[in-house]
Every structure is written in C-alpha cells, then in structure tokens.
Amino acid sequence: MSIALIALIACFFILLISGFPIAFNLILSSFVYLVVGDYPITLIPQRMFQGMNGFALLAVPFFILTGQLMVKGAILKSLTDFVNAFVGHVRGALALVTVGSCLFMGAIVGLAVAETASLGSFLIPMMKEEGYKPRFASGVMAGASLLGPIMPPSVLMILYCISVGKTSIAGIFLASIIPAVLIAVAQMLVIYFIAKRDKLPRHERMAWPEKWTQFKAAIPALLLPVIILGGIFGGIFTVTEASAAAAAYAFILTMFVTREVKWRDLPGIFMETAVTSGLVILLAGAATVTAWAIANEQIVEALAAPLSDIPLWAFLLFVNIGLLINGMFMDDYASVIVLGPIIAPIAWALGVDPLQIGVIICVNLVIGLATPPFGITLFVTSPMAGVSVEDTFRGGWPMLVASIVVLFLLTYWPPLTLWLPKMFGY
C-alpha cells in the first residue's frame, strides 16, 4: 500500500467522522492523494467532468422532477386509498397500506427520502390517531421507504451502472422488481403478525364496486410506472428518454388534469429538483476522481487474487456483512460509486452475474438507510412521530430483519434476480 493511498484513506475517514459533506470529502481526499503521490492536480477537474458527462445521468433530474410533481400534485392520496381498498380489512391496515403505497411510490419517485417525507407526513399521524404506538408508526415508515430505491426506476441503480460499467440500466431495473416485491411481502407478513399480537385496528371490508372506484381514481398515478417500465422494456424508450416522457406526463397530469400544481408552485419544484440533482451529479463526479485513485493503486487486482481462493458463498457473505456495516455509516450514493467499482469486478471474476451482484450491492446499501447510527430515514420519520431515533429503530427493526432475510435469499438464489431479465433478453 502506497503512502498516497494511506493518506487518501486517512483523510477520508477523518472527514467522514467529522461530518464533512461526502462529495467534498471525496474531492479533498483525492486532492491529498494526488499531492502526496505527486500526480497533476488537473486530474481532479478532468475526472470530475468525465464522471458528470454521462448521457444516462440526464435521467436523474427527470426522475427527480417526476417525483416532485407527483408529490406536490396530491397523487399520493389516490394510491393509498387504492391500497387500502384491498388490504384495509386486515389487522394493522394502515401499516400495510404504508408498505403497499411505498412499493407503488417506488415505481414513481425512486428516492427513499422523498418517499419518506411525502408519505410519512400524513400516514404517520393517521397511524397515531388509530392507536398505533408512535415508535411503531415511525419504524414502519422508515422500513417501508426502503422500497423506493429498490423498485425501478431507481436513481441509486442508475449511478451504480454508470460507475461500474458492464451492467445494463434496463436490465438491473428488471432484476430488482422481484426483490422489491418480496421485501414488501416480507415486511407485510411481519406487520400482520405484530398487528395480531397487539390487536391493531382494521377497517371495514370494501365491496367490489368501491374497490373498482378506488382503482379508477388511482389509474392516472398507476399509468406512470407503466409508461416508464413499459417504454423501457418494450424497446420504445431508452432509460433517459423514459425519464423525460415520465416528467412530461407528470407535468400534464398535475397541471392540467388534477390541477393540484399551480404555476406559482413550479419555481419551488424546479429549485428542489435542481438542488437534489446537483448533489447527486456532483457526487458522481467527485467519486470518479476517487475511483481513478483506486484503479491507479490496482486495489481490485490486489484483492482479486486472494479472494479467488475462497468459496463463492463465503465471498458473498463477506460482501453482505461488509456492505451492511458500511451502510450504517456512509451515504448510499457515495458508497455505490466508491465501492461498486471495487466489489463488482471481483464478483464478475468469481462468476457472479453482473445484474445479480448489482442488485445485491444496491439492496445492501438501501437497507443501510434505516440502520443506526446514521440511517437517514430514521432521522426523517422520528420528528414526524415525535419520538427519538432509537425508538424508531426499536419499532421498525423486525421489518429490517425481514428485508435482510430477503437479501440473503436473492444472494444465494440467483433466479430471484435473473429470471425477469432473461425473459426480456438481458
């Protein structure tokens, strides 16, 4: 290990512990590496531009804009009413509705924090009014929001594919659908047994005419995933074109059909989209510089030789445990850009399918969003419920365990991730 690499690692962890913004952390750590290693500083702007200049990154602001329009356009109520129409008669109905709504919202927003903030703002108070313990309501929302970055379209998975290469964005979208559904089902089963134990409330069973009414009301929102995923997998759009089509559809729907978004709301929506997109794209550029340093030190080659001697199951176990621990401390976007190019090539050399290892890495990092001490969804939901972060984790840990069980299933049973992509020729 060179002195320059040691300097990079030391600088990175010192800044991470001090709470320095992760994008600037990566830039500064890479700057230290270049100075200590006597490399030209011009590599920083060159590599950053290269990292931010990918055509696929154009999908990021369009998907974020789509989510902003749908959130501001009061489309969420129709989705939650639709889910409630089918599962509202079961004990713990509102908690189940939270998971189901997050699954559908994931196919629209693709961002955990946006999903948590939008759905949690009215579902958590509703659960508290119906007698749910505040920590359970907060924990359910924090756990269910993990479905956002797993269910396609996912900004996290777009960043993964751009950073590692050799992985189709459309392919990984397909590969993540079954894992997302399985995680939702696992979380619902956990909620159901807790609801039976605690005798949580349920709603009256809706008649089929009422269910049909709620379905019709939700059709405009449900059409959006059909446009995005149907367009991509049907060969009509590229991922970037699908994101633009989705944004156009969301704009027309919320401005001229539901009329919930007014012209005066647009500057705020565009500003929020620009800020969030800027952070993601800046992070992509910053991490590209760090990734160059890692490649320059030939870390992948150094790790591949000893790891090739261990069984594949042990390597995958090591990856899962390592990424779950990493997710407790490090942002998912930064992690996927920095660690993806290290882990993925080793997994490919060991015979793991690129789509499978991509889903494994992304699901691991998403679970980290709800794990202490720095799980961001815990910090978003806790104030909404009026509880501490620790209480939120105590209320939601069973859902987290259910998600980890599904993670290990898809790790050791490849058809869960590869069946759908193979059907579509990926």
Side-chain angles (χ1 to χ4, degrees), residues 229-252:
L229 304 181
I232 294 171
F233 305 141
I236 302 170
F237 303 131
T238 64
V239 172
T240 305
E241 290 165 348
S243 68
Y249 174 82
F251 179 80
I252 294 169

Side-chain angles (χ1 to χ4, degrees), residues 95 123-141 194 197-201 381 384-387 391-392 394-396:
L123 283 174
I124 289 176
M126 285 172 66
M127 283 190 273
K128 289 173 67 177
E129 285 176 12
E130 290 199 3
Y132 290 70
K133 293 178 181 178
R135 73 179 188 183
F136 180 68
S138 181
V140 165
M141 188 69 245
I194 293 174
R197 183 195 67 191
D198 297 344
K199 294 182 170 51
L200 294 176
T381 61
M384 294 179 182
V387 297
D391 280 339
T392 294
R394 290 190 194 102

Side-chain angles (χ1 to χ4, degrees), residues 122-202:
F122 68 92
L123 283 174
I124 289 176
M126 285 172 66
M127 283 190 273
K128 289 173 67 177
E129 285 176 12
E130 290 199 3
Y132 290 70
K133 293 178 181 178
R135 73 179 188 183
F136 180 68
S138 181
V140 165
M141 188 69 245
S145 64
L146 304 182
L147 296 167
I150 300 174
M151 189 69 181
S154 166
V155 173
L156 179 67
M157 291 182 181
I158 292 173
L159 287 179
Y160 171 82
C161 293
I162 291 171
S163 63
V164 304
K166 198 182 173 180
T167 306
S168 161
I169 296 176
I172 202 171
F173 279 1
L174 274 172
S176 64
I177 292 175
I178 291 178
V181 173
L182 287 177
I183 289 173
V185 170
Q187 291 185 351
M188 284 181 165
L189 286 173
V190 167
I191 290 170
Y192 175 74
F193 287 115
I194 293 174
K196 285 192 69 175
R197 183 195 67 191
D198 297 344
K199 294 182 170 51
L200 294 176
R202 56 186 171 191

